[in-house]
Each structure stands twice: as structure tokens, then as C-alpha cells.
Amino acid sequence: MKKFYITTPIYYVNAQPHIGHTYTTIAADCLARFHKMNGEKTFFLTGTDEHGAKIEEKAKEAGMDPQKFADSVSEAFKKSWVDLNIAQDRFIRTTEPAHEAAVQKALQAMYDKGDIYKGEYSGLYCRGCEQYKNEKDLADGLCPDHKTAPEQMSEECYMFKMSAYQDELLKKIASDEFKIRPEERKNEILSFYKNEKLQDVSFSRKNVKWGIPLPWDVSHTTYVWADAFLSYLTGLDWDGGSEAGDWWPANLHLMSKDILRVHATIWPAMLLSLGLPLPEELFIHGFFLIDGQKMSKSLGNVISPDELVKKYGTDATRYLLMSATVFGHDGDIGWEKFNEKFNADLANGLGNLVSRVSNLLEKNEIELDFNPNGDKDLTEAYGGRMNELALDDALKILWAVFRKCDEELTKKAPWKMTEKDEIKKTLLPIAQDILNSAKLLSPFMPTISEKIVKQFNAKQIKKSEPLFPRI
Ligand code: MSP
């Protein structure tokens, strides 16, 4: 049986979950549910990234012990995932003792192999990214993602011999043995490999206390990215040794462009050093802009996942986010767009269609015999888009069916008919189309899909409460 192991990034606990985290996690959930629906053995991992300078600093600002601080924000992520009906198989936290022990074991192996050596790092560091920066990475001296000046650092540390893996990784990326999509993201990484080349990277911090101590020198803590990457393995109960188990390698790491470079350099280099297979694919989705601007607290345009769920409900929120932009590209969102789409696609679209058809069927006491096999062409077209990770396209395919049903209904006007047989002949194919599409909708809108499928999978269909009250 085919297996499918998918991950989201593990999110920093320096701030509450926002719509960007929500977006990646819903997308991963839809994909995991799609693969489960197809009968594949599927494992879906998400979680929180809890160590490092940034979180140490935030906890201090809040006057809290870092562990207590991490506990509370990690809990907020978990709660948000419940509100959004995210069905992860495991939620990993990097402060779990088993994760910490595995990280120590793995780093010790890399040290014993000679891939980690004592050195010194002198250069720039962006605490927002928790990443070492070159002048080239900055815009007017500032980190382009965080708009802050990186700190000048100079400290004794342990370095990871990443440069040793330059040639092997370049080959694997170029040949798609280690796939990076979309294509322009792969090209961006290839040109990084060709022009800047892999440099050794500092893997420990002497001045950061909130981290996993290096087993051979406890005066250093582990660089937070080295710690974080290994969660993709410890989430599978890996113990830090040379056996990673049957779920590994990951079939898909989902993320956005802010963390592509580290995922395409440090992470696979660590795996090569540990003698473990590389993930099959990194897929990079776009960034959200709010009405054309970067989402930021100071602009006051932040949209929180909580507000969305309160206003539209869980399934509608999932739909609105997944259909908002082309998956894999940046896109614009905003309240006005959400309201319009909610009314057009959900309240007046799917909701109204289901209610009209079920009303007519009940009123005319019509019994239906469905073809239980569904619509092969539709299933294939939809599945093809899902396998290509064109999530918004897959939804468009389903909505084209709903719209066609609406048009049929309006054109044939069965409410004007008097012959029961004629009414049945008109409504049967429409009801069948609704049922087929509703089944395929389940990865995106699990509750709504189940409701419609239950309602339409009966001989005698009953009318229903509105699925989406108009806003
Ligand atoms: N902790 C690291 C990841 C470690 S993975 C081994 C981290 N965390 S993060 O909290 O900053 O999450 C970054 C990810 O959140 C992005 O890659 C993306 O998946 C998601 N997003 C955050 N903001 C986003 C937008 N504005 N738009 C879309 N997705 C965004 O980096």
C-alpha cells in the first residue's frame, strides 16, 4: 500500500497563531484527508518550535518562565487546530523530553563522525528568522522579512560542515531526486547553490540558554533550526539513531518561501550527514497580503483565524482560505473578498442549491436510485489537480459542477412541472451530481460534506436547514 507522510513547519511560539500558519496547516490537512480518502496509509505531522533566542526573549518580556510561556502558546496553536477541524496524527513539541534526547543523540553522531567541529562564528544574525545572514540577504541593511537590523555576532561555537555536501545536494536538487516546487523556487535554490555555495554553519549558541545542551559540551545549546528540523523525525518517534522507520522519508514538507532556503540546505545536509534518506519534496506556497499590503500589527490589518471561524464557521473558513489564491503563489485576501465569496459560492451557491433540490424532492415525495460508483471523470479531474497540489483548482472543478446544477435547475424549472416522472427525470441527475461532488469536497469541508452526503444518500431526501446563513 502507498504511504503518504506530510508535514507543516513547526511554528514558533513567540506569538499567537495567525492566518499564515492557519493557511499552511489547513492545506496540509486537506491533502492528508485526500490521501486518506483514497485509502493510502497517511501520517500528518504539525507542531511547535519552542527553543531559541527569540522565544527566550519573548518569555522574558512577558515575565514568564520560558517553558510556561511555550506551554501557553503551544496550547493556543492546538486549540486553533481543533477550531479549524485539523486532524493531525501527531502534534510534536520540541520541548518534549524524547525529542530533546533524540536531538542530542543525533548531534553526537554527527560530532563523532567529524561533521561538527569547534570554531567561531562572526557575522550577522536575524533573531526574527533565527538565521545567519549575509549582506546580500539584506535590503538597506535590514532583514527583508522582519524589517529589523540583524545583530552583529561573534562567538565561539560548534560548526556543521555543511560545505561538504554541496555537490551531492546540488545534483539531487537538479535531478528532482529531492524535488522543490513550484519550478521558480527550485531555480532560486539552484542559483543559490551555484553562486553562493554552501558554507559551514554555526550549530550552537553559547549565549542562548533556552535550548538543548550539546551532549559533549553543555556550555553550548543547539542552534534552534538544527533542533527544529529533527522534529520531522521525532514526530515519528525516531530516537536519534540510524533507523528512521517506515514513514520516513517524508513525501511532502509544506511551507512558505520564508523558510525555503534553510529547508533546501541545512536540512538535507543534516540528513546526508546522518545517513538518512532525503524527503521526496518541498512544496512552497505563497504569502498572503491583506488588501495589497503586508499583514502587520502596526497597519491594523491582521486577520486572526479566530475571527474568521467566529464569522463564517469552520468549514467555510477552510473553503475561503483554500480558494482565495492560487496555491503556490502570493495572493491578496481581505474581509470584503471573503464576504463576497461567502455569499456567492456558499450561501447563494452550494447552500441554496442543496436547499432548493432537497425541498423539491421532499415536496414531490420522489424516491431516487443513485449510481453508487460516482462520476469517474469528475473524480479523476479532481484527483489530478489534488495530486498536483493545485488545491484551488480542485475546488473550482467542484464548483463548476454546482453551478451547472444551478443552471440546469433554472433552465428546466421542475417546480413548474406537474408529472412526477418528469420531475424525477430532471432532479435525479442533479441530485447525483451534488452527491458526487459533495463526497469529493470532504477533504476541504469535512462537516458540510458529511451532512450533504448523508442527506443525499437516502432514497427519500428530506429538506434541510440552510447550510450557510447569509452574511
Ligand atoms: N519555526 C520555524 C519553522 C521550523 S520547521 C522545521 C518557522 N516558524 S513560523 O512560525 O515563522 O512559521 C513560518 C511558516 O508559517 C511559513 O513558512 C508559512 O508556512 C506560514 N506563514 C507565516 N506567515 C505567512 C503568510 N503571511 N502567508 C502565508 N504563509 C505564512 O519558520
Short mmCIF file of all heavy atoms in Angstrom, two decimals, residues 344-376:
data_model
loop_
_atom_site.label_atom_id
_atom_site.label_comp_id
_atom_site.label_asym_id
_atom_site.label_seq_id
_atom_site.Cartn_x
_atom_site.Cartn_y
_atom_site.Cartn_z
N ALA A 344 -21.47 34.44 -2.49
CA ALA A 344 -21.62 33.92 -3.85
C ALA A 344 -21.46 32.40 -3.90
O ALA A 344 -22.31 31.70 -4.44
CB ALA A 344 -20.60 34.58 -4.78
N ASP A 345 -20.38 31.88 -3.34
CA ASP A 345 -20.07 30.45 -3.52
C ASP A 345 -20.79 29.57 -2.50
O ASP A 345 -21.14 28.43 -2.81
CB ASP A 345 -18.57 30.19 -3.38
CG ASP A 345 -17.77 30.85 -4.49
OD1 ASP A 345 -18.39 31.49 -5.36
OD2 ASP A 345 -16.53 30.72 -4.48
N LEU A 346 -20.98 30.09 -1.29
CA LEU A 346 -21.51 29.22 -0.24
C LEU A 346 -23.00 29.47 0.02
O LEU A 346 -23.83 28.60 -0.22
CB LEU A 346 -20.67 29.35 1.03
CG LEU A 346 -19.18 28.97 0.84
CD1 LEU A 346 -18.39 29.16 2.12
CD2 LEU A 346 -19.03 27.53 0.35
N ALA A 347 -23.34 30.67 0.50
CA ALA A 347 -24.75 30.90 0.84
C ALA A 347 -25.64 30.80 -0.39
O ALA A 347 -26.56 29.97 -0.46
CB ALA A 347 -24.89 32.26 1.52
N ASN A 348 -25.36 31.63 -1.42
CA ASN A 348 -26.20 31.61 -2.63
C ASN A 348 -25.82 30.49 -3.58
O ASN A 348 -26.57 30.15 -4.48
CB ASN A 348 -26.08 32.94 -3.39
CG ASN A 348 -26.51 34.11 -2.53
OD1 ASN A 348 -27.36 33.95 -1.66
ND2 ASN A 348 -25.91 35.27 -2.76
N GLY A 349 -24.63 29.94 -3.41
CA GLY A 349 -24.16 28.87 -4.30
C GLY A 349 -24.56 27.51 -3.76
O GLY A 349 -25.72 27.10 -3.84
N LEU A 350 -23.60 26.83 -3.16
CA LEU A 350 -23.83 25.47 -2.69
C LEU A 350 -25.03 25.36 -1.74
O LEU A 350 -25.87 24.46 -1.88
CB LEU A 350 -22.55 24.95 -2.02
CG LEU A 350 -22.62 23.57 -1.37
CD1 LEU A 350 -22.98 22.51 -2.40
CD2 LEU A 350 -21.28 23.22 -0.71
N GLY A 351 -25.10 26.28 -0.78
CA GLY A 351 -26.16 26.20 0.23
C GLY A 351 -27.54 26.27 -0.40
O GLY A 351 -28.43 25.45 -0.11
N ASN A 352 -27.72 27.24 -1.27
CA ASN A 352 -29.00 27.45 -1.91
C ASN A 352 -29.37 26.27 -2.82
O ASN A 352 -30.52 25.84 -2.88
CB ASN A 352 -28.94 28.76 -2.71
CG ASN A 352 -30.31 29.22 -3.13
OD1 ASN A 352 -31.28 29.02 -2.41
ND2 ASN A 352 -30.38 29.79 -4.33
N LEU A 353 -28.39 25.76 -3.53
CA LEU A 353 -28.63 24.63 -4.42
C LEU A 353 -29.13 23.42 -3.64
O LEU A 353 -30.15 22.80 -4.00
CB LEU A 353 -27.32 24.28 -5.16
CG LEU A 353 -27.35 23.03 -6.02
CD1 LEU A 353 -28.23 23.23 -7.25
CD2 LEU A 353 -25.93 22.62 -6.46
N VAL A 354 -28.43 23.09 -2.58
CA VAL A 354 -28.80 21.92 -1.77
C VAL A 354 -30.21 22.11 -1.21
O VAL A 354 -31.03 21.18 -1.22
CB VAL A 354 -27.77 21.71 -0.62
CG1 VAL A 354 -28.31 20.78 0.44
CG2 VAL A 354 -26.47 21.16 -1.20
N SER A 355 -30.50 23.33 -0.78
CA SER A 355 -31.81 23.55 -0.18
C SER A 355 -32.92 23.48 -1.24
O SER A 355 -33.97 22.88 -1.02
CB SER A 355 -31.75 24.87 0.60
OG SER A 355 -32.81 25.69 0.27
N ARG A 356 -32.69 24.06 -2.42
CA ARG A 356 -33.72 24.02 -3.47
C ARG A 356 -34.01 22.58 -3.90
O ARG A 356 -35.16 22.16 -4.01
CB ARG A 356 -33.25 24.83 -4.69
CG ARG A 356 -33.36 26.33 -4.47
CD ARG A 356 -33.59 27.08 -5.76
NE ARG A 356 -32.45 26.98 -6.67
CZ ARG A 356 -32.48 27.42 -7.93
NH1 ARG A 356 -33.56 27.98 -8.41
NH2 ARG A 356 -31.42 27.32 -8.71
N VAL A 357 -32.94 21.84 -4.15
CA VAL A 357 -33.12 20.48 -4.67
C VAL A 357 -33.77 19.58 -3.62
O VAL A 357 -34.70 18.82 -3.92
CB VAL A 357 -31.77 19.90 -5.16
CG1 VAL A 357 -31.91 18.44 -5.53
CG2 VAL A 357 -31.25 20.70 -6.33
N SER A 358 -33.31 19.70 -2.37
CA SER A 358 -33.89 18.81 -1.36
C SER A 358 -35.35 19.17 -1.09
O SER A 358 -36.18 18.29 -0.85
CB SER A 358 -33.04 18.83 -0.07
OG SER A 358 -32.96 20.11 0.47
N ASN A 359 -35.67 20.46 -1.15
CA ASN A 359 -37.06 20.89 -0.99
C ASN A 359 -37.98 20.26 -2.04
O ASN A 359 -39.05 19.74 -1.72
CB ASN A 359 -37.15 22.40 -1.19
CG ASN A 359 -37.36 23.10 0.13
OD1 ASN A 359 -38.04 22.56 1.00
ND2 ASN A 359 -36.78 24.27 0.26
N LEU A 360 -37.54 20.36 -3.29
CA LEU A 360 -38.35 19.81 -4.39
C LEU A 360 -38.52 18.31 -4.26
O LEU A 360 -39.60 17.77 -4.52
CB LEU A 360 -37.68 20.13 -5.73
CG LEU A 360 -37.83 21.57 -6.22
CD1 LEU A 360 -36.85 21.86 -7.35
CD2 LEU A 360 -39.27 21.82 -6.68
N LEU A 361 -37.46 17.65 -3.86
CA LEU A 361 -37.53 16.18 -3.74
C LEU A 361 -38.49 15.79 -2.62
O LEU A 361 -39.27 14.85 -2.76
CB LEU A 361 -36.13 15.61 -3.48
CG LEU A 361 -35.21 15.62 -4.70
CD1 LEU A 361 -33.77 15.34 -4.29
CD2 LEU A 361 -35.66 14.60 -5.74
N GLU A 362 -38.42 16.53 -1.52
CA GLU A 362 -39.31 16.19 -0.41
C GLU A 362 -40.76 16.48 -0.77
O GLU A 362 -41.65 15.67 -0.58
CB GLU A 362 -38.91 16.94 0.86
CG GLU A 362 -39.83 16.56 2.02
CD GLU A 362 -39.47 17.21 3.35
OE1 GLU A 362 -38.27 17.28 3.68
OE2 GLU A 362 -40.40 17.64 4.05
N LYS A 363 -40.96 17.68 -1.31
CA LYS A 363 -42.31 18.12 -1.62
C LYS A 363 -43.01 17.15 -2.58
O LYS A 363 -44.19 16.85 -2.44
CB LYS A 363 -42.25 19.51 -2.23
CG LYS A 363 -43.54 20.30 -2.08
CD LYS A 363 -43.36 21.74 -2.50
CE LYS A 363 -43.96 21.96 -3.86
NZ LYS A 363 -43.43 23.14 -4.54
N ASN A 364 -42.26 16.67 -3.56
CA ASN A 364 -42.87 15.79 -4.57
C ASN A 364 -42.76 14.30 -4.20
O ASN A 364 -43.07 13.44 -5.01
CB ASN A 364 -42.23 16.05 -5.93
CG ASN A 364 -42.56 17.43 -6.45
OD1 ASN A 364 -43.69 17.70 -6.83
ND2 ASN A 364 -41.58 18.33 -6.40
N GLU A 365 -42.24 14.06 -3.00
CA GLU A 365 -42.10 12.68 -2.50
C GLU A 365 -41.43 11.78 -3.53
O GLU A 365 -41.93 10.70 -3.86
CB GLU A 365 -43.47 12.13 -2.10
CG GLU A 365 -44.04 12.87 -0.91
CD GLU A 365 -45.43 12.39 -0.53
OE1 GLU A 365 -46.02 11.63 -1.32
OE2 GLU A 365 -45.91 12.76 0.54
N ILE A 366 -40.29 12.23 -4.00
CA ILE A 366 -39.61 11.47 -5.05
C ILE A 366 -38.56 10.54 -4.45
O ILE A 366 -37.77 10.95 -3.59
CB ILE A 366 -38.96 12.43 -6.06
CG1 ILE A 366 -40.08 13.13 -6.82
CG2 ILE A 366 -38.02 11.70 -7.00
CD1 ILE A 366 -39.60 14.19 -7.75
N GLU A 367 -38.56 9.31 -4.89
CA GLU A 367 -37.54 8.36 -4.44
C GLU A 367 -36.46 8.26 -5.51
O GLU A 367 -36.76 8.25 -6.69
CB GLU A 367 -38.17 6.98 -4.23
CG GLU A 367 -39.01 6.93 -2.99
CD GLU A 367 -39.30 5.50 -2.55
OE1 GLU A 367 -38.80 4.57 -3.21
OE2 GLU A 367 -40.00 5.34 -1.54
N LEU A 368 -35.22 8.19 -5.06
CA LEU A 368 -34.12 8.19 -6.04
C LEU A 368 -33.31 6.90 -5.95
O LEU A 368 -33.14 6.34 -4.87
CB LEU A 368 -33.20 9.38 -5.77
CG LEU A 368 -33.82 10.76 -5.93
CD1 LEU A 368 -32.82 11.82 -5.54
CD2 LEU A 368 -34.28 10.98 -7.37
N ASP A 369 -32.80 6.46 -7.11
CA ASP A 369 -31.83 5.35 -7.09
C ASP A 369 -30.55 5.91 -7.66
O ASP A 369 -30.47 6.21 -8.85
CB ASP A 369 -32.28 4.18 -7.98
CG ASP A 369 -33.77 4.20 -8.18
OD1 ASP A 369 -34.46 3.79 -7.25
OD2 ASP A 369 -34.24 4.68 -9.26
N PHE A 370 -29.56 6.02 -6.78
CA PHE A 370 -28.30 6.61 -7.23
C PHE A 370 -27.36 5.56 -7.79
O PHE A 370 -27.40 4.40 -7.38
CB PHE A 370 -27.60 7.29 -6.05
CG PHE A 370 -28.21 8.62 -5.71
CD1 PHE A 370 -28.74 8.85 -4.45
CD2 PHE A 370 -28.22 9.64 -6.65
CE1 PHE A 370 -29.29 10.08 -4.13
CE2 PHE A 370 -28.77 10.86 -6.33
CZ PHE A 370 -29.31 11.08 -5.08
N ASN A 371 -26.50 6.00 -8.66
CA ASN A 371 -25.39 5.16 -9.09
C ASN A 371 -24.30 5.28 -8.02
O ASN A 371 -23.73 6.35 -7.84
CB ASN A 371 -24.89 5.68 -10.44
CG ASN A 371 -23.56 5.05 -10.84
OD1 ASN A 371 -23.07 4.15 -10.15
ND2 ASN A 371 -23.01 5.53 -11.93
N PRO A 372 -24.03 4.18 -7.31
CA PRO A 372 -23.11 4.29 -6.16
C PRO A 372 -21.66 4.50 -6.58
O PRO A 372 -20.82 4.82 -5.74
CB PRO A 372 -23.28 2.94 -5.45
CG PRO A 372 -23.74 2.00 -6.52
CD PRO A 372 -24.53 2.82 -7.50
N ASN A 373 -21.36 4.35 -7.87
CA ASN A 373 -19.95 4.43 -8.28
C ASN A 373 -19.45 5.85 -8.51
O ASN A 373 -18.27 6.06 -8.76
CB ASN A 373 -19.72 3.63 -9.56
CG ASN A 373 -20.05 2.17 -9.33
OD1 ASN A 373 -19.78 1.65 -8.24
ND2 ASN A 373 -20.65 1.54 -10.31
N GLY A 374 -20.33 6.80 -8.45
CA GLY A 374 -19.88 8.18 -8.62
C GLY A 374 -19.56 8.48 -10.07
O GLY A 374 -19.93 7.73 -10.97
N ASP A 375 -18.87 9.57 -10.28
CA ASP A 375 -18.56 10.05 -11.62
C ASP A 375 -17.06 9.93 -11.83
O ASP A 375 -16.28 10.66 -11.21
CB ASP A 375 -19.03 11.51 -11.71
CG ASP A 375 -18.70 12.16 -13.04
OD1 ASP A 375 -17.79 11.65 -13.73
OD2 ASP A 375 -19.35 13.17 -13.37
N LYS A 376 -16.67 8.98 -12.67
CA LYS A 376 -15.25 8.66 -12.82
C LYS A 376 -14.46 9.86 -13.36
O LYS A 376 -13.37 10.17 -12.86
CB LYS A 376 -15.11 7.47 -13.77
CG LYS A 376 -13.78 6.78 -13.68
CD LYS A 376 -13.81 5.39 -14.32
CE LYS A 376 -12.44 5.03 -14.85
NZ LYS A 376 -12.22 5.36 -16.27
#
